Amino acid sequence: MKMLKKKNEVPEKKWPTIRSMLFKRYSEGYTFYQIEKEGGKPGRKTISVYTGDYYFLPEAAPSRVRLRVLYSLLLLASAGLFLFCGTRSTPFNIARYTALLQLPAIFLFIYTLIVLFYYIIAPKQMTLYDYRATSLRLQRCCLFLMGFLLLCAAASVLYLCFTGFRMASATLLCAAGTLFGAAFINILYRIEKKLPYEKEKSRDKPPENAMKC
């Protein structure tokens, strides 16, 4: 009976760890091989060869340099407008709930700048991870950033409606500046989304006598 019970036991489900999830994300598209160690040393070592698709822009697409300059200008202009509007001495900026919208937007600007930096230094032929970490991630950042900027602009207008129109011109100016900032991010998002990325199968070959893991 004990033997039958052990055979019919369902194996315990192992939840993926953070390390395993990160490894899966970073190694996607790679194939691992084992080769002999150099110098006649005993044993074998594991190497990785990219066998997935490479993503790239065709020759007919806009210049990569121009795109990176344009994206940098749009993001910096949007961040500058947001900082200018957020530091004005208006009653709306002093309200406590304003920070609930402005703080996430600040962190999103910083994170988007980091993503844009990796976008700028990305190689012409990108691996699957490079493509997701630059183009696709930049698009997602723009969507979230636009959402918070639009919420900030809408909150400033609602603030006027509920508290009266004291210093209305300054508050409306801040709302307009935030909307322009969102428009710049929207332009960046739409340009990147419409880029005709193409993909090509990797031609990288493993060394001779390599054994697939």
Side-chain angles (χ1 to χ4, degrees):
M1 291 295 289
K2 289 184 179 179
M3 293 294 292
L4 289 173
K5 186 176 181 181
K6 285 185 178 180
K7 279 187 177 181
N8 295 328
E9 275 183 352
V10 179
E12 184 181 353
K13 186 176 181 180
K14 293 184 178 180
W15 294 98
T17 62
I18 295 177
R19 182 180 178 182
S20 64
M21 288 189 293
L22 289 175
F23 178 78
K24 184 178 179 181
R25 179 184 298 178
Y26 293 138
S27 63
E28 193 170 359
Y30 285 88
T31 304
F32 292 88
Y33 296 89
Q34 283 192 341
I35 60 172
E36 298 288 342
K37 289 185 177 180
E38 298 174 357
K41 295 179 181 179
R44 304 176 72 87
K45 67 177 182 179
T46 303
I47 62 168
S48 60
V49 178
Y50 187 72
T51 54
D53 293 325
Y54 279 110
Y55 292 79
F56 62 94
L57 287 173
E59 296 296 331
S63 167
R64 295 174 72 245
V65 176
R66 291 181 181 177
L67 282 174
R68 282 150 174 75
V69 172
L70 177 61
Y71 288 178
S72 301
L73 291 175
L74 287 171
L75 185 57
L76 291 175
S78 178
L81 278 172
F82 178 76
L83 288 175
F84 174 80
C85 296
T87 54
R88 298 302 91 193
S89 57
T90 62
F92 172 71
N93 285 331
I94 300 173
R96 291 181 180 179
Y97 54 80
T98 305
L100 296 176
L101 296 174
Q102 291 180 343
L103 278 178
I106 292 172
F107 287 116
L108 275 172
F109 268 116
I110 296 172
Y111 184 69
T112 308
L113 280 170
I114 296 172
V115 174
L116 181 61
F117 171 75
Y118 284 109
Y119 183 95
I120 291 172
I121 65 174
K124 186 175 182 180
Q125 283 194 322
M126 297 184 290
T127 63
L128 177 60
Y129 174 76
D130 291 332
Y131 176 64
R132 287 177 176 173
T134 54
S135 177
L136 297 184
R137 190 171 294 175
L138 184 63
Q139 293 178 46
R140 288 195 296 268
C141 287
C142 288
L143 286 175
F144 281 110
L145 196 48
M146 275 192 295
F148 274 100
L149 291 177
L150 291 174
L151 284 173
C152 288
S156 61
V157 175
L158 288 174
Y159 176 83
L160 289 177
C161 295
F162 286 105
T163 62
F165 286 83
R166 183 167 56 92
M167 296 184 66
S169 58
T171 304
L172 289 175
L173 180 63
C174 289
T178 306
L179 284 175
F180 273 110
F184 291 151
I185 298 297
N186 184 46
I187 294 171
L188 193 161
Y189 167 75
R190 290 185 177 277
I191 294 174
E192 182 60 28
K193 188 173 178 62
K194 290 181 179 179
L195 287 179
Y197 281 97
E198 295 181 359
K199 58 183 181 179
E200 181 182 34
K201 195 68 178 176
S202 171
R203 298 178 183 176
D204 300 342
K205 300 294 182 183
E208 294 183 3
N209 303 322
M211 294 176 59
K212 190 174 179 181
C213 295

